[in-house]
Amino acid sequence: MCLPPVRPALRPERLTPGAWARLPEPPRSGRPRLWLARVEDLSGAVAPLADALLDSGERARAAALHRAADRDGYRVAHVCLRLLLGAYLGVAPSDVPLVRRPCPVCRAPHGRPDVPGVLLCFSVSRTAGLCLLAFADTAVGADIERLPGPDVVAALTTVLHPREADELTACPPERRPAAFARVWTRKEAYLKGLGTGLGRDLRSDHLGASPHGPRRVPGWAVDDVAVGAGCAAAVAVAV
């Protein structure tokens, strides 16, 4: 039996202190611009900027996090987002007007994040020690996750599309956490791009567990993102 060709994972640009000082290359049509931030590399540079750049809601959400590592990760993700948006849009980072679109499922204001009146879309995801930021000229969603433990895989496999659950069950146990992380990040990136997040039934869409790449989704380009050992990541862009 012939296997499908391996679709190479996209490689993000490493975000370093001062990277936003130079004008970043804008995303090309149908191709996202990806940035990977390591919290330990950026927390020191970000800390003195947070109070000036984050709005009151962002500062409150950061302060409400109990663990220092989580607060650092939140600040790195959101300060870097504002710095990059400011560079892309040519405005002061603190002046970027971030809003939430209405959710397509319930119409409440917790849909895809947005800057009103511009043609730049973006998505932010973070996991322990890492943040992934994606920018595109159409709707985009990104997700990054650490590989889960076997107990998490067992508990959540049943909430996935039936074919995905079958694919995971067929995996050898030692490969199952990586396969689950591929499914989960592909699915969450796609759902974030739609704007529904996890409000959409996870059984509705078959993104697949194959290491050869995600399944095709009409109207979307979904790709894995190379973020190093111990993690999985994906991005979805409307085409």
Side-chain angles (χ1 to χ4, degrees):
M1 180 178 66
C2 293
L3 294 175
V6 175
R7 286 164 57 188
L10 303 182
R11 295 193 174 276
E13 184 168 347
R14 181 79 168 270
L15 193 54
T16 58
W20 43 78
R22 64 182 189 276
L23 186 64
E25 179 186 346
R28 302 189 302 274
S29 179
R31 297 288 294 177
R33 187 75 193 275
L34 301 170
W35 299 86
L36 182 67
R38 296 188 181 277
V39 175
E40 64 179 1
D41 294 344
L42 292 165
S43 57
V46 158
L49 302 175
D51 284 345
L53 298 189
L54 301 183
D55 64 27
S56 59
E58 290 166 321
R59 293 195 299 271
R61 285 189 287 274
L65 297 170
H66 297 296
R67 298 175 62 246
D70 293 334
R71 292 193 295 273
D72 286 345
Y74 183 94
R75 291 186 181 109
V76 166
H78 288 263
V79 168
C80 289
L81 172 64
R82 283 187 170 276
L83 289 164
L84 286 167
L85 283 172
Y88 279 121
L89 300 175
V91 301
S94 58
D95 292 339
V96 175
L98 295 175
V99 300
R100 286 276 185 176
R101 291 187 178 184
C103 171
V105 176
C106 67
R107 309 309 299 172
H110 56 235
R112 192 169 60 242
D114 188 31
V115 177
V118 302
L119 297 178
L120 182 66
C121 300
F122 59 91
S123 182
V124 181
S125 180
R126 58 189 179 89
T127 190
L130 293 170
C131 309
L132 180 65
L133 301 95
F135 299 84
D137 56 3
T138 59
V140 62
D143 190 52
I144 184 170
E145 304 284 348
R146 295 283 180 181
L147 300 192
D151 54 337
V152 173
V153 175
L156 294 180
T157 292
T158 56
V159 307
L160 301 174
H161 189 282
R163 292 182 185 175
E164 292 168 342
D166 290 344
E167 292 166 8
L168 292 173
T169 300
C171 281
E174 67 275 11
R175 297 183 184 175
R176 211 166 287 159
F180 177 88
R182 286 195 295 270
V183 173
W184 191 269
T185 54
R186 293 165 181 175
K187 190 178 296 282
E188 189 158 355
Y190 172 58
L191 298 182
K192 288 170 75 173
L194 288 177
T196 65
L198 299 180
R200 181 178 171 93
D201 189 346
L202 298 179
R203 298 176 180 86
S204 298
D205 309 290
H206 182 200
L207 278 295
S210 172
H212 296 282
R215 289 177 55 85
R216 302 290 181 184
V217 179
W220 290 82
V222 184
D223 288 283
D224 295 327
V225 180
V227 291
C231 290
V235 64
V237 182
V239 295

